[in-house]
Amino acid sequence: MPSRTTPLRRRREDTDDDLDFSGVANGVTSGSGSKKARLSVNGNPSRSSQRTPSSNNYVSARHSGLQAEPLRAEPTRRKHQPGAIVRVKLANFVTYTAVEFLPGPSLNMVIGPNGTGKSTLVCAICLGLGWGAQHLGRAKDVAEYVKHGCQDALIEIELAGDGTFKRNPVVQCKIARDGNKSTFTINGKTASRKQVQELARHFSIQIDNLCQFLPQDKVVEFAAMTPVELLRSTQRAVAPQEMLDMHENLKELRKQQKMVEAENNSNQETLTNLETRQRMQQADVERMRERNEIKRRIEFLERSRPIWQYRDARAAHEEAKNKKVVAAKELDELEAEVEPSLRAVNAKQAYQDQIEAAIKERGHIVKQAERTADATDQKIKGLCDRLKELGHEREAEANGGKKSRSDVARLQGSITRLKKQMEEPPPELDVSSFNEQIREKNRKIEDLRQTGFDIKKQQEEKVRLGTQKNARILQAQQDLKSLDSQAGQMMTKLSRISPDSYKAWQWVQNNQDQFEKRVFGPVMIECSIKDPKWVDMIESLFGRSTFITFTVQTKNDLKKFMTQVHEVMGLSEINTRMATASLEEFQHPCSDEELSRYGLDGWASDFISGPEPVLVMLYPEIRLHLTAVGWEDTTPEQYDMLSTSRIDNWATSKSTYKIVRRREYGSSAVSAHVGNNKPATIWTDQPVDIGAKRELQESIEGWSQEVKAFENENKELQAQLHHVRDQIQSKREEVDRMTEEKSARQKAIGVFKGLPTKLEQEQQKLSTAQESLAGVRERIKAIQEQVDKVTLQRGQAALDYANAVEALREAHNTLYTAEVMHIEATSEVETLIQRNSSVKTLLENKRKEVRELTSTAENVRKEAKRLMKICTQIINVQGAAEPAFSAFLQELPTDADGAHMEEEISSEKARLELMHEGNGGVIKEYEQRQKRVEALKAKEEECNHALQELGAKITELRGNWEPELDNLVEKISRSFSYNMQQINCAGEVGVFKDEQDFDDWAIQIRVKFRENEPLSLLDSHRQSGGERAVSTIFYLMSLQSLTRSPFRVVDEINQGMDPRNERLVHKRMVNIACGNGDIDGDEFRAQGIDNDVELDGESADGQQRKSNAGSQYFLITPKLLNGLEYARGMRVLCIVSGEYMPQEHSKIDFGKCVDIARGLKGLGPSSVAAAG
């Protein structure tokens, strides 16, 4: 070791970027306000190297070790590699209130007891550089890393810069408990998590790569990493991104190639199957096509039927038109031939027509004369009616005169009577006095009514009390009767044990029809013990709640019952269970023979009877089918046998046993609970309770006397009520009399006050009657004048009626004369017609023939026109839409008629019937299958082309990637093999190459820890935990020479190693990480390490030299062996914390502590103390 110690100082030009921690600012505690010296690497205090954390935690960043030679700190100017951690500062983070770590550029040994916060440094690095908590394997939420009792935590990490930064980048992360959020800054400027991760990637920091960052809770995960995962992590750690991308592309291309191959194979298999089926159905398809062609021809023939129907109709029209022309010519010739014979008939026929016209005209004249006579007659009747009305009016006027004279006499007498009444006024009336007397009577009536109401309420209360007493008497009488029955005794016990359950059971008994299935009452009511001998031990298995449990069989019944008892009846102590299983589902744990070997007589379920649903409920509730019973007590030997059997519960005549087994603690972890049986109180046949019976009898007698007293009191109240009602009736009669008297006197006064008005009215009526009497004579005279005038008009109307009747008679005579002449003319015409009947018949027949031929020709013309429209549509529309049908129409014979075409249709149908119908969809299936065959062939060509392209891409990409991978793994293998040789072991690293899938390429680590064994794959089955730990750490160190990460973290990797391996591994780690001078260039070359990493240092003779060094290492462990290798460049971070830390922790002198330890070992004072 070097003999001099030179303090190592670190420049702090960027102190303005330090965080201001609560209680710690710029390395000074908030209480003192003065700067404290920081311990340098050799323990000497300097003005700028001492940080004072809170009283609960302390970190001393210094080298420490106990070796035979004096401990000296060598001077070094080794700098941190770009991206290495220069400083970590925490506040309120996990266990730390405030702390600052100053790791060295090479190997950093973080030591301290468990729970002091070593792994907290690892958590801070992960979270502070922007990665999530999932990479730590601890808490999932970042808020859980805030110290208990604090609202937020701070992490500040200073990284070594490179040429792109003016100063070292400082990343600050603030974690807020509220909201579970993290915020970041870079050199004091707000940044996003993505920006922080981009900064980390700039320095090739891969926190999520277990080959670079292996926290404590991920060690097991790394050890369990599959070779495939190890290859990916290795490439991420030491290979350029292009290699990783090429591997991923190869995997993706191979995946696509496999998918295309699978698709192509599937398509080929499907294609072969489809082609085979096509060949098998070829004959059927040809036959079905021929059949379909016949069907199509039949269809076309039937659809073209209107065309030849049009041809037939056009020919028929021509024929009918020719026949009509011939018949018309024949009719003209016949008419010319018979014209002289018909001329006389026609003349006589014309004369007959003239007579018929005269008859019609004279008929109109007769009707007009009849209307005139009728109108005159109606006029006479109207005049007669008017004379009658005038007579009635004259009679009414005469009678009115008589009534007017009578009214005048009556009104004169009334006026005289009214004047006399006005001279005699009625006595005066005091209305207020009358009203006051009436109100007084009504108040008395109301008081009496209220008294009656009070008496009525007393009666109702007596009746209610009597009814209650009678109900109690009835219930007591029923209870008295039930005392003599078993069921009654159980109901009595139920009412005493649980009044709520008793009330609920009474309701259920009266309302069973409201449920879907029967609801069973409490267990103590429904069940019984088969043999009283076993009642004590069976009843000991039941609890009070089980005894009063109801059993329902459906969910709806359960809901209805619970609603009734809880919401409607307001009961609380109600236990209900639903039973839906069957007894067959419950099996005993052992046979009866095995049970007898244990000294037990049977199962508890064998000694209790009850309805099946109740037993189904009890089996899982209290394990009746799993609890054995025996009369004799269990012996120790039987107990030992039972404790290892499948029986967990059993009962004897004196005790109950329950075995509890804790299988997680092994088969011997068995405990037992033993209880003494109590005498049964429920299912017992006890004699009648005389005291209870006497109590009931006394209650019945007392309640009966109370009922009689209520009846007597009610009679007295009824008499009082009758007396009150009589008084009310008397008072009402007095009020009625006074009211009638007041009304009569008020009426008399009102009548007297109305006499003047009535007198005036009577006088006016008298004046009117007198005026009416004076005008009667003039009105009678006017009526008489009207009677005379109407009489004259009636006479004139009579004369007019006589003239009209005469005119009617003459019109009838002329009509009769014309009718006689018509009869004569008709007779003559008929005679002439009879003489020329044959000629006329011939003529009529010919005319009829012409008309018929004309109608036939017209009908045929219309039908032909209709068919022509149909044919036009068929040819223009259907033919244009269906080329095949259009071609068929062109081939139709032009000279074929309808009969010929119908024969053609019949012939084709006969051919169709001779052919087997077969499967109608075979052609469609064949054509669809043929399309699929063609599509699959095209798809096959596409797949083959795609496979060629993918194969070419894979070959090209693999040619670039595989040599690089082999070279990389070869370097790792050389380094790994060399490291293993240094501990007298062997090892190599290779690549497993699966030619079928690049996903299965993997890193294979082969190791040998004993001389006489071959190299074997590293896995959890062949090597021990310590051997795997050694292999893991050596593999990680082998990546150092190729690493692209500025630092590595390994947390407690040495815990599974034995002391020998731990010393060897530690030495190799020191040599590799610190670039110790005892490693020559050949060793580095053996490890695949290039000598291009140079650190400035000074040799023992003071000459400047260059040495090799690796990246920054963090080795975290709770313990280290004594006498481990120590090298220049190592830094030991001792975490000291706990409840015994002094409040003035800055006064701790670790140099003295080292001296004391060395003195106890007889090593003398250290250079640390000397330097101090």
Side-chain angles (χ1 to χ4, degrees):
M1 292 291 241
S3 58
R4 291 181 71 248
T5 301
T6 303
L8 176 64
R9 299 178 180 271
R10 184 168 61 89
R11 297 174 62 187
R12 296 299 301 268
E13 293 86 351
D14 55 338
T15 55
D16 53 292
D17 290 334
D18 288 349
L19 295 176
D20 184 10
F21 286 77
S22 175
V24 181
N26 296 323
V28 182
T29 59
S30 60
S32 64
S34 62
K35 292 187 176 180
K36 302 292 182 179
R38 178 188 302 159
L39 289 178
S40 64
V41 293
N42 59 1
N44 293 329
S46 66
R47 289 176 296 176
S48 62
S49 61
Q50 177 65 40
R51 293 280 181 178
T52 305
S54 68
S55 60
N56 291 332
N57 301 284
Y58 184 81
V59 175
S60 173
R62 69 179 194 176
H63 294 292
S64 64
L66 294 176
Q67 297 180 351
E69 65 274 12
L71 177 64
R72 299 179 184 274
E74 296 185 2
T76 179
R77 286 201 228 164
R78 181 177 299 169
K79 297 181 179 180
H80 291 78
Q81 293 186 20
I85 296 175
V86 177
R87 178 173 55 88
V88 179
K89 190 175 183 180
L90 308 176
N92 299 329
F93 186 78
V94 190
T95 60
Y96 295 112
T97 300
V99 69
E100 185 176 47
F101 296 91
L102 301 172
S106 298
L107 180 61
N108 293 275
M109 305 292 294
V110 183
I111 61 176
N114 287 327
T116 56
K118 302 182 301 300
S119 298
T120 302
L121 173 61
V122 179
C123 299
I125 295 173
C126 176
L127 300 179
L129 292 179
W131 270 264
Q134 69 272 16
H135 299 291
L136 297 172
R138 292 192 172 188
K140 295 182 180 180
D141 297 330
V142 294
E144 298 184 31
Y145 291 89
V146 179
K147 186 176 182 181
H148 181 69
C150 300
Q151 293 301 315
D152 50 40
L154 287 175
I155 304 173
E156 184 177 279
I157 300 176
E158 179 180 352
L159 301 176
D162 54 12
T164 60
F165 294 91
K166 295 181 180 179
R167 59 182 180 180
N168 290 345
V170 178
V171 179
Q172 184 186 84
C173 171
K174 181 178 181 180
I175 302 173
R177 185 184 297 275
D178 295 337
N180 190 34
K181 295 181 179 178
S182 300
T183 56
F184 297 89
T185 63
I186 299 177
N187 287 335
K189 296 181 180 180
T190 302
S192 64
R193 183 186 298 273
K194 183 177 181 181
Q195 290 174 324
V196 174
Q197 291 181 349
E198 289 177 354
L199 175 64
R201 282 193 288 269
H202 171 76
F203 290 112
S204 299
I205 298 174
Q206 299 177 2
I207 299 296
D208 55 345
N209 191 342
L210 296 181
C211 290
Q212 295 184 6
F213 191 85
L214 190 61
Q216 177 181 350
D217 295 284
K218 291 287 185 175
V219 171
V220 176
E221 182 177 335
F222 182 83
M225 187 181 294
T226 64
V228 174
E229 295 170 344
L230 186 59
L231 173 61
R232 185 176 186 276
S233 297
T234 300
Q235 290 186 96
R236 289 188 60 204
V238 299
Q241 183 63 33
E242 292 77 7
M243 280 191 65
L244 193 62
D245 294 340
M246 284 191 290
H247 188 195
E248 294 299 326
N249 291 336
L250 281 171
K251 290 192 288 185
E252 181 62 27
L253 289 173
R254 179 53 184 159
K255 180 180 178 181
Q256 295 178 10
Q257 189 181 45
K258 289 167 66 177
M259 292 174 59
V260 174
E261 288 175 350
E263 181 182 5
N264 194 24
N265 294 335
S266 176
N267 290 341
Q268 289 178 351
E269 182 179 353
T270 304
L271 179 61
T272 303
N273 186 22
L274 292 177
E275 290 177 341
T276 302
R277 295 179 63 185
Q278 289 294 85
R279 289 192 296 271
M280 293 175 62
Q281 287 188 344
Q282 183 70 33
D284 293 338
V285 170
E286 293 297 333
R287 185 175 63 256
M288 290 304 301
R289 283 178 175 172
E290 182 181 359
R291 178 180 172 82
N292 289 341
E293 182 62 27
I294 295 173
K295 289 174 64 178
R296 186 170 69 91
R297 179 171 176 77
I298 293 173
E299 179 191 356
F300 285 172
L301 286 171
E302 291 180 344
R303 288 170 60 186
S304 63
R305 183 180 278 114
I307 294 176
W308 63 71
Q309 288 178 347
Y310 168 70
R311 292 176 181 175
D312 292 345
R314 188 174 61 179
H317 176 255
E318 291 295 332
E319 182 181 359
K321 188 167 61 172
N322 294 333
K323 288 182 179 180
K324 185 188 74 169
V325 171
V326 173
K329 184 177 181 182
E330 291 177 353
L331 177 61
D332 293 340
E333 294 175 353
L334 183 60
E335 286 179 346
E337 182 180 354
V338 299
E339 193 274 334
S341 301
L342 295 177
R343 189 179 301 138
V345 177
N346 293 335
K348 184 58 69 176
Q349 185 70 46
Y351 174 73
Q352 183 183 8
D353 293 340
Q354 292 176 358
I355 296 300
E356 288 179 355
I359 289 173
K360 290 181 180 179
E361 181 180 358
R362 291 179 182 181
H364 291 311
I365 294 172
V366 170
K367 290 180 179 180
Q368 182 64 35
E370 289 178 349
R371 287 194 294 270
T372 302
D374 291 338
T376 305
D377 183 56
Q378 292 296 326
K379 183 177 180 181
I380 292 172
K381 290 180 180 179
L383 293 173
C384 292
D385 293 337
R386 178 57 180 160
L387 287 175
K388 289 181 181 180
E389 292 177 359
L390 291 174
H392 293 158
E393 291 179 2
R394 184 174 57 190
E395 184 179 359
E397 287 295 337
N399 294 333
K402 294 179 182 180
K403 185 176 181 301
S404 298
R405 285 192 291 272
S406 174
D407 290 342
V408 168
R410 181 180 57 78
L411 291 172
Q412 289 176 348
S414 176
I415 291 171
T416 302
R417 186 169 59 258
L418 291 174
K419 290 180 178 180
K420 184 177 181 180
Q421 290 177 356
M422 292 175 62
E423 295 175 355
E424 299 177 356
E428 296 181 359
L429 173 64
D430 188 357
V431 178
S432 59
S433 176
F434 267 96
N435 289 338
E436 182 61 30
Q437 293 179 14
I438 291 172
R439 281 195 293 271
E440 181 63 25
K441 298 293 184 182
N442 286 331
R443 279 195 293 270
K444 292 182 179 180
I445 291 173
E446 188 62 31
D447 294 341
L448 291 172
R449 186 182 291 109
Q450 187 62 41
T451 302
F453 286 157
D454 294 341
I455 295 174
K456 190 67 176 176
K457 288 182 179 179
Q458 294 179 17
Q459 282 184 313
E460 292 175 353
E461 180 65 18
K462 299 299 180 182
V463 171
R464 185 183 64 80
L465 294 174
T467 303
Q468 290 181 352
K469 297 299 180 181
N470 285 328
R472 291 183 180 181
I473 292 172
L474 182 61
Q475 183 62 41
Q477 290 174 347
Q478 293 178 354
D479 294 343
L480 190 62
K481 292 179 181 179
S482 65
L483 284 176
D484 297 329
S485 64
Q486 182 67 23
Q489 292 182 17
M490 297 305 294
M491 287 294 291
T492 302
K493 292 179 182 178
L494 178 63
S495 65
R496 184 172 62 254
I497 295 174
S498 177
D500 286 354
S501 301
Y502 176 77
K503 295 176 183 178
W505 176 230
Q506 285 186 319
W507 183 87
V508 169
Q509 287 179 303
N510 297 326
N511 298 274
Q512 282 284 2
D513 56 341
Q514 296 188 18
F515 297 101
E516 296 176 354
K517 292 185 178 181
R518 180 184 173 187
V519 175
F520 296 93
V523 174
M524 61 183 294
I525 300 294
E526 299 288 355
C527 298
S528 61
I529 304 301
K530 297 179 180 179
D531 189 348
K533 171 184 177 182
W534 307 93
V535 67
D536 290 343
M537 64 182 72
I538 298 299
E539 195 169 304
S540 64
L541 304 175
F542 287 75
R544 177 181 177 277
S545 61
T546 306
F547 275 119
I548 61 175
T549 298
F550 289 78
T551 305
V552 298
Q553 302 183 66
T554 66
K555 291 183 178 179
N556 292 334
D557 288 349
L558 177 62
K559 181 178 180 182
K560 181 179 293 184
F561 178 69
M562 299 304 290
T563 301
Q564 175 65 29
V565 298
H566 290 301
E567 298 180 7
V568 179
M569 302 178 66
L571 305 178
S572 58
E573 191 183 22
I574 302 297
N575 297 329
T576 311
R577 297 290 185 274
M578 185 172 67
T580 57
S582 62
L583 291 177
E584 289 74 10
E585 298 180 18
F586 301 95
Q587 303 295 327
H588 300 307
C590 64
S591 62
D592 293 341
E593 293 77 7
E594 185 178 356
L595 198 65
S596 62
R597 291 200 301 270
Y598 301 143
L600 300 174
D601 299 317
W603 302 97
S605 57
D606 299 335
F607 298 95
I608 186 171
S609 62
E612 181 175 340
V614 179
L615 297 178
V616 168
M617 181 273 295
L618 288 175
Y619 278 18
E621 184 75 12
I622 59 174
R623 301 166 60 88
L624 281 179
H625 62 299
L626 302 177
T627 303
V629 294
W631 185 253
E632 299 296 335
D633 202 5
T634 303
T635 63
E637 293 78 9
Q638 293 172 343
Y639 175 82
D640 293 338
M641 295 170 61
L642 285 167
S643 62
T644 58
S645 68
R646 288 177 292 175
I647 300 175
D648 295 335
N649 302 279
W650 73 90
T652 64
S653 59
K654 296 180 180 180
S655 305
T656 57
Y657 297 83
K658 183 177 182 180
I659 298 297
V660 179
R661 296 182 176 87
R662 302 294 298 272
R663 302 189 186 280
E664 62 269 23
Y665 298 125
S667 58
S668 60
V670 177
S671 61
H673 300 285
V674 182
N676 296 327
N677 295 338
K678 297 180 180 179
T681 59
I682 303 299
W683 287 314
T684 57
D685 294 330
Q686 297 179 351
V688 176
D689 190 344
I690 302 301
K693 185 174 182 180
R694 183 183 301 108
E695 182 179 353
L696 287 174
Q697 292 173 343
E698 291 176 354
S699 298
I700 292 172
E701 184 177 357
W703 291 334
S704 299
Q705 293 177 358
E706 291 180 8
V707 169
K708 291 181 180 179
F710 290 152
E711 293 176 351
N712 294 332
E713 293 176 359
N714 199 18
K715 290 179 180 179
E716 294 178 0
L717 292 173
Q718 187 65 28
Q720 294 177 9
L721 183 62
H722 284 306
H723 178 68
V724 169
R725 289 176 179 173
D726 293 341
Q727 288 181 329
I728 291 173
Q729 184 63 28
S730 175
K731 296 296 181 182
R732 284 179 177 172
E733 292 175 356
E734 293 178 3
V735 170
D736 293 341
R737 285 196 300 271
M738 293 182 67
T739 302
E740 291 176 359
E741 182 180 356
K742 184 185 74 170
S743 299
R745 294 179 66 175
Q746 287 178 335
K747 183 178 180 181
I749 293 173
V751 170
F752 180 76
K753 291 180 179 180
L755 287 177
T757 303
K758 189 174 182 181
L759 177 61
E760 183 179 358
Q761 293 174 353
E762 292 295 321
Q763 288 176 347
Q764 290 178 355
K765 291 179 180 180
L766 178 61
S767 175
T768 302
Q770 290 174 348
E771 292 175 357
S772 176
L773 183 60
V776 169
R777 294 185 182 87
E778 288 77 5
R779 289 192 296 274
I780 292 175
K781 183 178 179 181
I783 292 171
Q784 186 60 44
E785 290 176 356
Q786 292 180 12
V787 169
D788 295 340
K789 183 178 179 180
V790 171
T791 301
L792 292 174
Q793 292 175 354
R794 187 181 64 176
Q796 183 62 41
L799 294 174
D800 294 341
Y801 180 71
N803 294 331
V805 170
E806 180 62 23
L808 179 62
R809 185 183 63 80
E810 292 178 357
H812 273 292
N813 289 335
T814 58
L815 177 62
Y816 294 154
T817 301
E819 289 177 350
V820 171
M821 294 173 66
H822 182 265
I823 293 172
E824 293 175 351
T826 301
S827 176
E828 293 175 358
V829 169
E830 290 177 354
T831 300
L832 291 174
I833 289 174
Q834 187 175 4
R835 291 176 184 174
N836 296 280
S837 59
S838 58
V839 176
K840 190 173 183 179
T841 300
L842 181 61
L843 186 61
E844 287 296 329
N845 290 336
K846 184 56 67 176
R847 288 174 178 170
K848 182 177 180 183
E849 180 183 357
V850 172
R851 288 195 299 271
E852 290 177 352
L853 290 174
T854 301
S855 176
T856 300
E858 181 64 21
N859 292 336
V860 172
R861 186 185 68 81
K862 292 180 180 179
E863 178 66 15
K865 188 174 181 180
R866 183 185 68 82
L867 292 172
M868 184 178 66
K869 290 182 180 179
I870 296 175
C871 292
T872 301
Q873 183 181 11
I874 291 173
I875 295 172
N876 295 337
V877 179
Q878 299 183 18
E882 300 182 50
F885 184 59
S886 178
F888 174 79
L889 294 177
Q890 296 295 331
E891 296 174 358
L892 283 177
T894 57
D895 57 346
D897 57 6
H900 175 75
M901 298 307 295
E902 292 293 339
E903 291 177 359
E904 182 72 14
I905 293 174
S906 300
S907 175
E908 293 295 335
K909 288 183 177 180
R911 288 181 60 197
L912 184 65
E913 291 177 356
L914 292 175
M915 297 184 68
H916 179 64
E917 182 176 359
N919 183 6
V922 66
I923 296 178
K924 184 177 180 180
E925 293 177 2
Y926 183 86
E927 293 175 349
Q928 290 179 349
R929 194 180 300 116
Q930 186 62 32
K931 291 180 180 179
R932 290 184 61 191
V933 168
E934 295 172 357
L936 287 173
K937 288 181 178 178
K939 189 67 175 178
E940 184 179 7
E941 293 180 2
E942 293 178 3
C943 290
N944 292 332
H945 181 68
L947 288 173
Q948 291 176 0
E949 291 183 352
L950 289 172
K953 290 180 181 180
I954 290 174
T955 301
E956 179 183 0
L957 198 57
R958 180 175 179 178
N960 296 330
W961 172 71
E962 187 175 5
E964 293 291 335
L965 178 63
D966 291 339
N967 184 34
L968 179 67
V969 175
E970 183 180 359
K971 292 180 181 179
I972 297 173
S973 181
R974 288 201 305 267
S975 177
F976 182 75
S977 177
Y978 182 83
N979 290 332
M980 293 295 289
Q981 288 175 8
Q982 301 308 305
I983 62 172
N984 298 323
C985 298
E988 66 178 14
V989 179
V991 179
F992 171 75
K993 300 179 180 181
D994 189 332
E995 296 299 331
Q996 298 298 323
D997 198 341
F998 289 99
D999 276 330
D1000 294 332
W1001 282 45
I1003 289 290
Q1004 287 186 337
I1005 301 176
R1006 292 182 174 85
V1007 293
K1008 182 177 74 171
F1009 287 92
R1010 282 161 286 278
E1011 185 175 358
N1012 296 324
E1013 67 178 14
L1015 287 171
S1016 60
L1017 286 175
L1018 179 67
D1019 57 29
S1020 59
H1021 303 290
R1022 294 184 177 91
Q1023 290 81 23
S1024 65
E1027 292 171 345
R1028 292 198 304 274
V1030 170
S1031 303
T1032 299
I1033 192 62
F1034 277 170
Y1035 184 80
L1036 293 178
M1037 288 190 295
S1038 299
L1039 301 179
Q1040 160 131 356
S1041 60
L1042 305 172
T1043 183
R1044 304 177 62 85
S1045 177
F1047 65 86
R1048 297 180 183 277
V1049 176
V1050 181
D1051 192 352
E1052 298 191 12
I1053 193 66
N1054 61 334
Q1055 293 307 298
M1057 301 181 189
D1058 57 23
R1060 173 183 174 275
N1061 286 336
E1062 185 174 353
R1063 290 182 187 278
L1064 294 174
V1065 168
H1066 179 79
K1067 180 178 180 180
R1068 293 299 305 151
M1069 183 177 293
V1070 170
N1071 292 337
I1072 293 175
C1074 297
N1076 201 6
D1078 61 352
I1079 304 179
D1080 56 17
D1082 294 336
E1083 178 178 340
F1084 276 96
R1085 284 190 294 274
Q1087 300 182 59
I1089 303 176
D1090 298 328
N1091 292 333
D1092 57 354
V1093 180
E1094 298 181 353
L1095 297 175
D1096 295 334
E1098 189 175 32
S1099 63
D1101 56 2
Q1103 298 296 323
Q1104 190 74 16
R1105 63 174 175 80
K1106 295 181 179 180
S1107 63
N1108 297 299
S1111 63
Q1112 188 181 44
Y1113 261 84
F1114 289 88
L1115 179 60
I1116 300 168
T1117 178
K1119 58 91 179 178
L1120 287 174
L1121 299 174
N1122 295 327
L1124 292 176
E1125 182 78 13
Y1126 179 80
R1128 184 168 61 106
M1130 285 181 58
R1131 180 163 296 182
V1132 181
L1133 304 179
C1134 300
I1135 299 180
V1136 182
S1137 66
E1139 59 181 340
Y1140 297 109
M1141 284 292 294
Q1143 294 293 330
E1144 297 295 331
H1145 48 76
S1146 61
K1147 297 180 179 180
I1148 298 176
D1149 189 344
F1150 282 93
K1152 292 183 179 179
C1153 294
V1154 172
D1155 288 339
I1156 294 173
R1158 292 178 66 85
L1160 294 175
K1161 293 180 177 291
L1163 300 177
S1166 68
S1167 60
V1168 174

